[in-house]
Amino acid sequence: MPEAQQESEGESADAARDFDVVIVGAGLAGLYMLYKVRELGLTARVFEAGDGVGGTWYWNRYPGARCDVESMQYSYQFSKELQQEWDWSERYAGQPEILRYINHVADRFDLRDGLQFSTRVESAIFNEERDRWQIRTDDDVQWSSRFCVMATGCLSSTNLPPFKGRDDFGGESYHTGSWPHEGVDFEGKRVGVIGTGSTAIQAIPMIAEQAKELVVFQRTPNFSIPARNGQLDPEVRAEIKADYDGLRKRASEAGFGIDLQANELAAMDVTAEEREREFERRWSIGGFSYLGAYTDLILNKDANDAAAEFVRRKISEVIDDPQVAEALSPTTTLGCKRMCLDSGYYQTFNRANVTLVDIREEGIDEITPDGIRAKGREYEVDCIVYATGFDAITGALLAIDIRGRNGASLREEWAEGPRTYLGLGSAGFPNLFTITGPGSPSVLSNMLPSIEQHVNWIAECIGYMVENQKQSIEPTVEAQEQWVAHVNEVAGSTLLLGCNSWYLGANVPGKPRVFMPYIGFPPYVQKCDEVAANGYEGFALQPTGTAS
């Protein structure tokens, strides 16, 4: 082949791998980001490790998996037509229905041709000479983009503790966060579940119905409220659709970005009898409505104690064995760990085939070839389910080798905890955006409005830069440090630091203990809007054609 032809073909291949925006992750965030980038008339490619869309809802297929935010609120609002067309079947949508919805969105808005599946991003290196990101994927192909958007998700990197002997187990092992797509049949089997967090609380009742024996190993009990799930009444669904704008507005003004029909009273301003009635009413409604009972549940210890004690009484009323009830009753602050929603979780421990092993003092001794040893006793099982959660918020992001100016490593920069400005970017990493990153409401909000707010902000920022001939943008160190201090200050004014939670990274050995999400959706959105209105205050912008 002539040399000139070889050069021409090489340049053509390079151009085919060159985009305005590279997006990592094809979950709810990545899909919407692609949609918005295309609205700007820019080119984009989405890389996704799985072989389909969905992100969290692609991987989490464990029995009973469903959203803990009501489906009519856990949905996109950028398209009024989509809101009206899609009919959710249940109050809380299950994983299969959510995945169908996400696939519908990908098809309806013709997004699939911008998606590349079964491709994991291994590194993203900023080239200072070209002011571009060099992205390398696991097939050893290098891609280039001006902007890089991390839509890697908050709960997408599974946490599998290094239990002694874990690899010696002779049976089947599963993690709730990476469940086999073909499903698992537990019929007639002895199953051990390690963990009693959200995924376990959803899975345990379902597994118990199949398994011959189920042994649950609990380190820390969690507060769980009945979901009161059921089929959505068509009249209720139509009512919501008739005033979807009203629902969205109320949710946007609520502390967690969810319309909880919050009470405006403080718990300590009413009598004990009034509190009891309101807690009972919220309990019967089910779901996160319980957190809307009073304004001060995460601010005032007495109010929190009253709400927590009510839940503990409910647990003791449901469970037959007082010792089991006591073991399942949390002693921590209500809300310092994400409150769970369940369908028959506590009642499951009344079944003859279910055993609870409380390991809060001793932990797991080891995994043996035949089962799980705890408290000096071996429990023989055929299958182990690790419901041990996620390396939340930062895990999937830091799994990628991200390097900014002067070769600075994001892993090293965040070695003592993540540092961002608004959860959107980090100093020294130009044109790198994170969707629902640490320092934003993310997991302390309804994730869909949080995702859309972030994507809209990022898209508007990119559009501003293109229109105003700005080459790069990144937070200033000063703005970043002030924001980190503010996030900590807000968290310190609440009761949410009252236990070792995954909000702090406490579930991952060696992870720095830093409270990662920002508390307060409405003030956060207001701050982001002000920053943009003030010409991206707190960010350093370099004009096109200047050395950055």
Side-chain angles (χ1 to χ4, degrees):
M1 184 184 294
E3 189 175 323
Q5 187 179 343
Q6 284 183 333
E7 265 185 38
S8 174
E9 290 188 3
E11 288 172 7
S12 176
D14 286 345
R17 295 196 293 269
D18 201 359
F19 295 91
D20 295 314
V21 185
V22 157
I23 301 161
V24 185
L28 289 158
L31 289 184
Y32 184 47
M33 191 73 241
L34 175 62
Y35 174 85
K36 292 298 288 184
V37 168
R38 287 182 166 180
E39 273 196 334
L40 293 171
L42 302 178
T43 60
R45 176 63 61 93
V46 179
F47 295 108
E48 167 57 48
D51 61 13
V53 298
T56 292
W57 299 108
Y58 171 88
W59 298 107
N60 285 262
R61 300 171 185 239
Y62 58 86
R66 68 180 61 251
C67 190
D68 57 8
V69 175
E70 294 186 16
S71 53
M72 297 295 284
Q73 296 194 56
Y74 189 84
S75 53
Y76 287 119
Q77 55 188 296
F78 71 88
S79 166
K80 292 186 185 299
E81 293 78 16
L82 176 63
Q83 285 190 146
Q84 295 299 323
E85 292 164 3
W86 185 267
D87 286 330
W88 293 102
S89 66
E90 294 182 273
R91 180 183 177 189
Y92 296 95
Q95 179 272 336
E97 186 171 16
I98 296 172
L99 192 58
R100 286 197 299 274
Y101 172 73
I102 299 171
N103 273 282
H104 171 73
V105 170
D107 293 331
R108 192 193 187 287
F109 297 100
D110 297 320
L111 300 175
R112 291 194 184 273
D113 61 340
L115 310 175
Q116 183 166 322
F117 297 120
S118 304
T119 306
R120 187 176 295 278
V121 171
E122 294 191 332
S123 67
I125 313 295
F126 186 67
N127 184 321
E128 293 185 65
E129 290 183 7
R130 298 182 60 209
D131 270 334
R132 297 187 72 79
W133 284 94
Q134 306 297 327
I135 290 97
R136 185 166 293 281
T137 49
D138 59 358
D139 52 2
D140 204 31
V141 176
Q142 185 163 290
W143 309 78
S144 172
S145 67
R146 180 177 173 191
F147 300 98
C148 185
V149 181
M150 294 295 175
T152 48
C154 294
L155 298 173
S156 52
S157 179
T158 55
N159 173 47
L160 188 56
F163 295 120
K164 179 184 176 183
R166 192 184 69 199
D167 297 334
D168 298 333
F169 181 60
E172 297 295 323
S173 296
Y174 310 97
H175 192 289
T176 49
S178 54
W179 203 258
H181 290 193
E182 66 275 13
V184 180
D185 183 7
F186 291 113
E187 197 67 43
K189 294 183 178 178
R190 302 167 300 172
V191 183
V193 173
I194 299 176
T196 51
S198 181
T199 58
I201 283 173
Q202 291 183 338
I204 283 168
M206 306 292 289
I207 295 173
E209 289 179 3
Q210 283 190 22
K212 176 184 177 183
E213 296 175 23
L214 173 60
V215 185
V216 178
F217 297 85
Q218 173 186 264
R219 183 183 63 176
T220 310
N222 277 278
F223 285 103
S224 189
I225 305 292
R228 310 291 183 204
N229 189 39
Q231 294 295 304
L232 263 176
D233 185 322
E235 288 185 15
V236 170
R237 190 167 53 214
E239 210 174 280
I240 292 172
K241 286 188 176 186
D243 185 32
Y244 233 138
D245 287 347
L247 173 62
R248 299 301 195 183
K249 185 174 188 300
R250 292 191 300 275
S252 71
E253 295 168 351
F256 298 109
I258 309 170
D259 180 20
L260 301 177
Q261 299 176 13
N263 190 342
E264 295 181 1
L265 298 172
M268 292 297 106
D269 289 345
V270 302
T271 65
E273 292 74 21
E274 287 176 281
R275 283 197 299 274
E276 186 75 10
R277 282 196 298 273
E278 182 63 7
F279 289 147
E280 190 67 58
R281 187 178 79 84
R282 298 279 176 165
W283 186 266
S284 65
I285 292 171
F288 286 139
S289 170
Y290 192 76
L291 289 175
Y294 293 102
T295 60
D296 56 348
L297 293 190
I298 66 166
L299 300 172
N300 182 297
K301 188 176 185 305
D302 291 338
N304 193 282
D305 287 347
E309 184 52 35
F310 180 87
V311 178
R312 285 190 282 265
R313 286 204 311 274
K314 287 294 186 181
I315 295 171
S316 68
E317 290 170 9
V318 168
I319 297 173
D320 297 337
D321 187 326
Q323 287 185 317
V324 174
E326 184 178 359
L328 287 167
S329 296
T331 57
T332 53
T333 302
L334 177 75
C336 70
K337 291 190 172 206
R338 187 179 179 90
M339 196 173 75
C340 303
L341 308 187
D342 73 270
S343 296
Y345 172 66
Y346 293 114
Q347 292 88 335
T348 299
F349 290 91
N350 292 331
R351 296 178 63 107
N353 68 327
V354 177
T355 301
L356 176 69
V357 181
D358 190 351
I359 55 169
R360 70 183 78 188
E361 300 297 333
E362 306 88 347
I364 297 286
D365 296 338
E366 64 178 323
I367 308 297
T368 70
D370 298 317
I372 302 167
R373 182 178 295 281
K375 304 178 83 167
R377 173 184 167 184
E378 183 176 12
Y379 295 84
E380 293 189 358
V381 295
D382 303 305
C383 310
I384 297 177
V385 174
Y386 292 98
T388 47
F390 301 88
D391 184 351
I393 304 178
T394 59
L397 192 59
L398 296 183
I400 302 167
D401 182 14
I402 301 173
R403 296 180 184 271
R405 294 197 189 281
N406 302 313
S409 161
L410 191 68
R411 290 174 192 160
E412 292 174 8
E413 293 293 316
W414 288 8
E416 295 180 5
R419 311 188 77 75
T420 74
Y421 182 40
L422 302 173
L424 287 161
S426 202
F429 296 83
N431 293 358
L432 177 74
F433 296 103
T434 50
I435 300 176
T436 62
S440 74
S442 64
V443 294
L444 284 179
S445 66
N446 180 353
M447 287 301 298
L448 256 294
S450 275
I451 284 169
E452 285 190 276
Q453 183 264 335
H454 261 200
V455 171
N456 290 338
W457 192 97
I458 293 166
E460 286 168 15
C461 178
I462 291 174
Y464 172 89
M465 292 181 67
V466 171
E467 285 179 25
N468 292 277
Q469 297 184 327
K470 302 295 184 184
Q471 183 67 28
S472 66
I473 183 170
E474 64 185 286
T476 67
V477 172
E478 181 184 21
Q480 177 173 286
E481 295 311 299
Q482 287 175 352
W483 184 251
V484 169
H486 176 62
V487 171
N488 291 330
E489 182 183 10
V490 172
S493 69
T494 73
L495 302 173
L496 298 192
L497 298 179
C499 62
N500 289 323
S501 69
W502 56 260
Y503 298 146
L504 288 155
N507 62 318
V508 179
K511 189 169 181 174
R513 302 293 187 261
V514 175
F515 195 84
M516 292 180 282
Y518 180 74
I519 302 168
F521 185 70
Y524 173 82
V525 174
Q526 183 180 355
K527 172 68 175 175
C528 288
D529 291 346
E530 288 173 357
V531 164
N534 292 333
Y536 296 93
E537 183 179 30
F539 287 90
L541 286 84
Q542 293 288 344
T544 300
T546 62
S548 58

